[in-house]
Amino acid sequence: MKNFTLLFLLSLELLFAAELKHVNIGNQDFSITTESYKIYDSKGTVMRMYSEERNNDLLFILNLTLRDTTGPCSSKSIEEGSYEVNATHITLYSSWIRRGKAYDAPIGARIQVFEVQPDHSVKRISSKLYIETERENYNEASGMQYLFKKAKTKKEQAKLDLYIRGVERKYNGTFVFGKEAQVLRREVEKALTKKLKNKWN
């Protein structure tokens, strides 16, 4: 009963904190909600996108964290997100940073591009990411260390490959390196800066 009450109160909080807007992509109508939440030591805002069906039902399509902060002031993990819509596509930008002593929190960036299909669904056509799951040298057993120094043996390369596969599964994207990773992070930073400017204009 206690769990039901908690879920009910949380649903009420999300309902009253939600904003709704309509967008047209590929000559199809979609609804985008922006919902605030606060759960234990996490608080933030999430965007959810729904297709508007002919019977007036809303069919869930995708979601994006626009802002999430987790942990105390001395050890915060922060996720920021932004999205852009054009005639046929929606692009999602995500950034992860850490503050203070959140050494086991991720830092990095991801860009996902979805194309609207004729049946109101969306197809992911690209998802690139670069993510460090913890501070450098925090976990010496992790293959992440070989992002900063070249793997010299087959065992070291296997550790790096295992790390890359794990990150790609968890964050749903293809890991990129070097200059491509730098460009990726700049594009995400640019999108988040644009979101901030639009908020204050």
Side-chain angles (χ1 to χ4, degrees):
M1 185 67 179
K2 183 178 179 182
N3 288 338
F4 174 78
T5 303
L6 178 63
L7 287 172
F8 177 72
L9 291 174
L10 178 59
S11 298
L12 282 179
E13 181 180 355
L14 289 175
L15 176 64
F16 288 114
E19 297 177 8
L20 174 68
K21 71 176 182 179
H22 302 278
V23 296
N24 186 277
I25 313 173
N27 293 320
Q28 300 181 61
D29 294 322
F30 296 88
S31 292
I32 293 180
T33 65
T34 303
E35 304 167 356
S36 298
Y37 62 87
K38 187 174 182 180
I39 309 172
Y40 301 112
D41 66 342
S42 296
K43 63 180 180 179
T45 309
V46 63
M47 175 275 279
R48 303 185 198 280
M49 180 175 171
Y50 303 85
S51 67
E52 298 180 358
E53 304 297 295
R54 289 183 179 177
N55 58 5
N56 294 322
D57 285 344
L58 296 178
L59 178 65
F60 175 75
I61 299 294
L62 55 80
N63 66 276
L64 172 71
T65 298
L66 299 176
R67 173 80 177 180
D68 179 87
T69 59
T70 301
C73 293
S74 61
S75 179
K76 279 195 179 299
S77 174
I78 301 171
E79 181 178 353
E80 292 272 4
S82 180
Y83 65 93
E84 292 182 359
V85 173
N86 66 22
T88 57
H89 295 77
I90 179 167
T91 304
L92 310 182
Y93 302 89
S94 298
S95 172
W96 291 266
I97 61 173
R98 66 177 80 102
R99 296 273 170 81
K101 297 180 180 179
Y103 302 140
D104 59 346
I107 62 170
R110 181 186 64 199
I111 299 177
Q112 300 179 90
V113 181
F114 294 85
E115 182 179 54
V116 172
Q117 304 298 298
D119 63 354
H120 270 71
S121 66
V122 295
K123 178 182 179 182
R124 190 175 69 184
I125 59 174
S126 174
S127 181
K128 296 181 179 181
L129 58 83
Y130 174 87
I131 294 175
E132 300 166 15
T133 55
E134 65 262 331
R135 188 187 67 174
E136 185 179 358
N137 300 323
Y138 180 75
N139 180 6
E140 293 184 358
S142 171
M144 193 192 85
Q145 62 185 300
Y146 302 110
L147 294 176
F148 310 102
K149 60 181 180 181
K150 185 175 177 59
K152 296 179 180 179
T153 67
K154 289 184 178 180
K155 184 177 180 180
E156 291 175 347
Q157 184 62 48
K159 279 189 172 184
L160 174 61
D161 293 343
L162 183 63
Y163 172 81
I164 297 301
R165 289 198 300 271
V167 171
E168 289 181 335
R169 281 195 303 270
K170 182 175 181 179
Y171 294 93
N172 297 313
T174 301
F175 208 98
V176 296
F177 302 87
K179 290 183 178 180
E180 192 173 2
Q182 293 175 16
V183 170
L184 174 77
R185 297 176 83 166
R186 284 198 297 268
E187 288 183 8
V188 170
E189 184 178 344
K190 183 178 177 182
L192 294 177
T193 300
K194 182 180 178 181
K195 182 181 83 167
L196 187 60
K197 286 182 179 178
N198 290 339
K199 180 180 179 180
W200 292 108
N201 288 340

